[in-house]
Amino acid sequence: MNTSLTPDVISNGRKWGTLVIACLAVLLLALDLTVLFLAIPKLTEDLAPSSTQLLWISDIYGFALAGFLIIMGNIGDRIGRKRLLLIGVVAFGVSSALTAFAWSPETLIAARGLLGVAGATIMPSTLSIIRNVFTDPKQRTTAVGIWGAMAAGGFSLGPVVGGVLLNNFWWGSVFLINLPVMVVVFVAALIVLPESRNPRPGRLDLFSALLSFVGVVSVTYAIKEGARQGLGHTEVIVTGAGGLVLLVVFVVRQLQLTHPLLDVRLFRLPAFSASVGTVVVLMFASTTLMFGIAQYLQFVVGWSPLKSGLAGMPGGAAGMVGGVLASLLVQWWGRARVVAVGLILVGAGFAVFADAMSTTVNYPYLLVGMVVQGLGLGFALAITSDTMLATVPRERAGAGSAISETAQELGGAFGIAILGSVLTTIYQNKLVLPAGVPAEAAGPIRESLGGAVSTAGQLGDVGPAVASAAKQAFVGGFQTTSLVGAGLITVMALVALIALRKVPKEIPDLEPAPA
């Protein structure tokens, strides 16, 4: 007998209280994704990790998160999304404490891995709970838009919060801020959230779970290592090919199962496939270019991490506004037009970046690009996320939410690997070193802009010329990469306009609420 509280009998006050809790949880998760990058210099001084350990410290969270999303989404459908969220919140708090007080690189890597697993329980739980609580299509679209807006806010707040804490405390403080927030989320969720689950989940196929985890992690690892070592490196080719083979086996197996871990037949629906594709392309381009802007502001312009974070906040705020406005605009324009307009705005923002970028900052012009890009990102992500959720039966909301989150993770990883490699290649090709640079210094200078600026400070009289050449090369590479991103986004806008044109403005629930 299903003892879940039926979403249709939940009061409006409790529905919106549920949204507040989900938004608070996702805000903290998004913030946590960005604070580590600022903490790396200080934790490197304290723990002295090797270069390999430092890479694992940076990447293990993303590997665990991407690998467990689909599995945890399915577990939530079976044991209850509220229960999984509560478990995840406790695990996230404990893992945050372990991360903050890690006493060696090995313990930090392990703690960050646990943090990723905990995050994988929370992310699909929040979105699937929203899917089950908000049964009215208008309210659901609005709720998903607000949820997406909070995620955008978390990404933009991360550098600011991290900068403030690191200016006053040790590196572990950026993780300890999770604890009080998680206590609030746990207590509020225990009281407010309704429970929901799939009343007919079927058997959880453990072999599919294994294929999914190893396949996704292998592909993600290959993408990240391809960005560092080159896509032609043997380790990258073997790991990537192996991961793709496992994912193909996973897909074939899902088509044969009565209760698949992931219903791949959903990809036959143009609206679902276009929504997933839009998310992948958006994150593919946006992750790389926003990371590039952070490098530009710190290494080319010379601003501190805190000032750079504050400079990027208007873009995050615009993303929040876009997420909220999207639910209103879809009633007038329809889903296809809102997504297409959002993508065009993102592309226009990238074009502004290309034009505004120079070795002398023009922040007001750059700000225009950030705001336009952020607004478009909010439009597109809110409606595509809602479309994916609405296409999936409510009883499979956890698995559907996991697809949305996995698309974002893989899109960002692909972007860093491919567009990041384009940026690095152009930087290296455009870089012309002045005479007098020692041979042993040329490697770090050519490897990255950060390495060039750091090395230039140790080269005496020739240092300023090296820094200037590196900055000019990076600006040239970023301009070209921004235009490539704008082109990809524009093509995706045309695809979305066609694929989403038959989707109704309001998508009703495909399945009745579980009794």
Side-chain angles (χ1 to χ4, degrees):
M1 179 178 179
N2 179 25
T3 58
S4 303
L5 181 62
T6 303
D8 292 333
V9 302
I10 299 173
S11 66
N12 278 329
R14 195 173 181 188
K15 285 182 180 180
W16 295 108
T18 296
L19 178 62
V20 170
I21 295 168
C23 286
L24 189 58
V26 78
L27 174 69
L28 192 61
L29 285 176
L31 188 150
D32 204 69
L33 285 170
T34 53
V35 294
L36 176 69
F37 298 112
L38 295 178
I40 282 178
K42 286 194 173 183
L43 72 84
T44 300
E45 293 177 8
D46 189 14
L47 301 180
S50 67
S51 58
T52 301
Q53 288 173 331
L54 190 58
L55 292 178
W56 278 106
I57 290 169
S58 301
D59 291 342
I60 189 64
Y61 179 87
F63 291 156
L65 187 67
F68 277 99
L69 276 169
I70 293 176
I71 298 170
M72 291 301 179
N74 276 271
I75 291 175
D77 287 338
R78 286 166 167 78
I79 70 171
R81 292 127 191 164
K82 174 182 177 177
R83 179 180 297 177
L84 184 65
L85 178 64
L86 292 173
I87 293 171
V89 166
V90 173
F92 199 85
V94 172
S95 301
S96 296
L98 291 174
T99 302
F101 294 107
W103 59 89
S104 68
E106 292 82 4
T107 55
L108 181 57
I109 292 170
R112 287 285 293 170
L114 292 174
L115 204 60
V117 176
T121 68
I122 296 173
M123 292 181 77
S125 296
T126 58
L127 204 52
S128 59
I129 287 171
I130 291 173
R131 171 73 174 91
N132 274 269
V133 166
F134 289 90
T135 56
D136 177 77
K138 287 184 179 179
Q139 286 188 342
R140 186 196 60 235
T141 303
T142 300
V144 173
I146 295 172
W147 178 89
M150 294 306 291
F155 282 115
S156 62
L157 278 175
V160 178
V161 173
V164 170
L165 289 172
L166 291 170
N167 281 345
N168 297 280
F169 305 102
W170 97 111
W171 62 266
S173 63
V174 300
F175 301 105
L176 281 186
I177 61 170
N178 297 341
L179 298 183
V181 179
M182 283 300 170
V183 170
V184 172
V185 171
F186 182 86
V187 174
L190 197 63
I191 298 170
V192 176
L193 293 186
E195 184 59 283
S196 64
R197 60 176 63 87
N198 185 349
R200 300 173 296 275
R203 183 177 63 88
L204 179 64
D205 185 55
L206 295 180
F207 185 55
S208 291
L210 180 64
L211 288 171
S212 168
F213 175 78
V214 178
V216 170
V217 170
S218 297
V219 170
T220 306
Y221 177 83
I223 292 169
K224 288 180 176 288
E225 286 302 302
R228 297 189 184 106
Q229 304 182 39
L231 296 176
H233 196 275
T234 302
E235 180 185 3
V236 172
I237 295 173
V238 172
T239 307
L244 288 174
V245 169
L246 291 177
L247 291 178
V248 170
V249 174
F250 171 79
V251 170
V252 172
R253 185 170 179 82
Q254 302 318 291
L255 291 171
Q256 297 171 345
L257 293 174
T258 304
H259 299 283
L261 194 70
L262 173 64
D263 189 357
V264 295
R265 297 175 183 86
L266 288 170
F267 287 93
R268 296 174 182 173
L269 302 174
F272 186 85
S273 296
S275 295
V276 173
T278 297
V279 170
V280 171
V281 171
L282 272 174
M283 300 311 296
F284 177 91
S286 297
T287 301
T288 308
L289 294 178
M290 298 315 293
F291 179 68
I293 286 181
Q295 287 187 296
Y296 169 75
L297 292 176
Q298 292 182 57
F299 295 127
V300 177
V301 180
W303 288 354
S304 68
L306 178 57
K307 187 174 181 180
S308 300
L310 289 170
M313 280 193 69
M320 297 176 71
V321 172
V324 175
L325 286 179
S327 61
L328 300 175
L329 293 176
V330 77
Q331 303 302 320
W332 302 332
W333 298 350
R335 291 173 181 267
R337 290 192 181 94
V338 173
V339 173
V341 168
L343 289 167
I344 290 171
L345 287 175
V346 172
F350 291 164
V352 171
F353 293 157
D355 193 47
M357 201 66 62
S358 69
T359 53
T360 303
V361 66
N362 183 355
Y363 181 68
Y365 192 21
L366 194 64
L367 180 62
V368 171
M370 290 181 183
V371 171
V372 170
Q373 186 264 349
L375 190 66
L377 196 65
F379 283 178
L381 284 181
I383 300 305
T384 52
S385 296
D386 182 62
T387 303
M388 278 187 276
L389 278 183
T391 307
V392 177
R394 185 161 53 184
E395 59 196 31
R396 297 275 294 161
S401 303
I403 295 173
S404 174
E405 303 293 348
T406 304
Q408 293 189 38
E409 289 295 317
L410 291 179
F414 271 110
I416 292 294
I418 298 175
L419 276 187
S421 297
V422 170
L423 175 56
T424 300
T425 300
I426 297 174
Y427 163 77
Q428 293 171 343
N429 289 337
K430 287 181 174 289
L431 181 61
V432 179
L433 294 179
V437 176
E440 64 273 13
I445 294 171
R446 292 190 178 279
E447 185 176 351
S448 67
L449 175 63
V453 172
S454 175
T455 304
Q458 306 169 15
L459 295 181
D461 293 340
V462 76
V466 169
S468 177
K471 291 175 182 179
Q472 290 176 358
F474 179 84
V475 166
F478 191 87
Q479 288 172 333
T480 302
T481 307
S482 295
L483 293 177
V484 171
L488 290 172
I489 292 293
T490 301
V491 171
M492 195 66 227
L494 295 174
V495 173
L497 190 61
I498 295 170
L500 297 176
R501 71 185 187 280
K502 293 183 180 180
V503 181
K505 294 179 181 180
E506 298 179 15
I507 303 178
D509 279 318
L510 301 181
E511 297 285 343

